[in-house]
Amino acid sequence: MSVRILALVGSLRAGSHNRQLAEAAVKLAPSGAEVALHEGLAEIPFYNEDIDVEGDVPAAAARLREAAAGADALLLFTPEYNGTIPAVLKNAIDWLSRPYGAGAITGKPVAVIGTAFGQYGGVWAQDEARKAVGFAGGKVIEDIKLSIPGSVVRFAETHPADDSEVVEQLTEVITRLHGLAGEPAAA
């Protein structure tokens, strides 16, 4: 049985370094694991209980919930916007938190990592994302952390998948999350 890890990226920008980091994670998944990059966060309307009606949930939100329900764990990649989590990622978490107490991520292991331009690599945004995921019912893995600073300079001419330090750290993150998702990582 393979462990499915759903990856959500909090940046919509085509050249996003966090998206590149997520693409690297897809390639680095260990044997027995699959990292699936979810597309379509931009199409999900802002969460509103009035449109979260059973049988009539907006299609993009329903696809997100279905993808999360089918995952064994989640891996969130977040940049830092004005010292906090991007709206698109927070909105995804809000949709995944419902129905209250029985959302698609309830009890699932969730790790939050990312890269940002600043000297701390987006730790404030990552902390905010962990907080939101915890309230949403996810089992936040607090000790899985990866904050890569200086993204604009570090990845100006190098894809994260070609940075040996990043590859080593990202592989460790995925391997640990894989193990926590219910199946020991292959050696």
Side-chain angles (χ1 to χ4, degrees):
M1 181 172 103
S2 182
V3 169
R4 184 174 172 87
I5 299 170
L6 182 65
L8 302 180
V9 179
S11 174
L12 301 177
R13 189 171 63 86
S16 163
H17 297 120
N18 280 284
R19 181 172 181 80
Q20 291 175 358
L21 197 59
E23 291 166 353
V26 169
K27 294 176 185 175
L28 295 170
S31 177
E34 172 196 4
V35 176
L37 180 55
H38 186 78
E39 303 289 352
L41 293 187
E43 286 77 44
I44 300 172
F46 282 115
Y47 185 79
N48 176 343
E49 271 186 284
D50 293 341
I51 62 172
D52 188 6
V53 179
E54 189 173 339
D56 198 28
V57 172
R63 283 191 299 275
L64 174 64
R65 284 179 173 169
E66 184 179 317
D72 299 298
L74 281 84
L75 182 56
L76 279 52
F77 296 82
T78 186
E80 190 168 275
Y81 292 175
N82 298 315
T84 193
I85 183 174
V88 69
L89 188 56
K90 176 62 168 68
N91 188 49
I93 294 167
D94 290 344
W95 277 101
L96 292 173
S97 74
R98 303 293 187 192
Y100 182 74
I105 61 172
T106 300
K108 293 186 181 193
V110 181
V112 181
I113 65 173
T115 185
F117 177 64
Q119 66 181 350
Y120 302 111
V123 294
W124 290 346
Q126 291 178 29
D127 288 345
E128 291 295 319
R130 287 184 191 96
K131 181 172 124 181
V133 164
F135 279 111
K139 181 181 173 188
V140 179
I141 310 304
E142 294 285 350
D143 64 340
I144 294 181
K145 295 186 178 180
L146 177 57
S147 303
I148 304 167
S151 61
V152 173
V153 174
R154 184 166 189 164
F155 302 125
E157 297 181 23
T158 304
H159 190 285
D162 298 325
D163 181 313
S164 61
E165 181 183 15
V166 170
V167 167
E168 180 181 330
Q169 294 171 333
L170 187 54
T171 299
E172 182 180 331
V173 164
I174 298 164
T175 301
R176 290 208 45 232
L177 187 57
H178 175 223
L180 292 167
E183 186 173 297

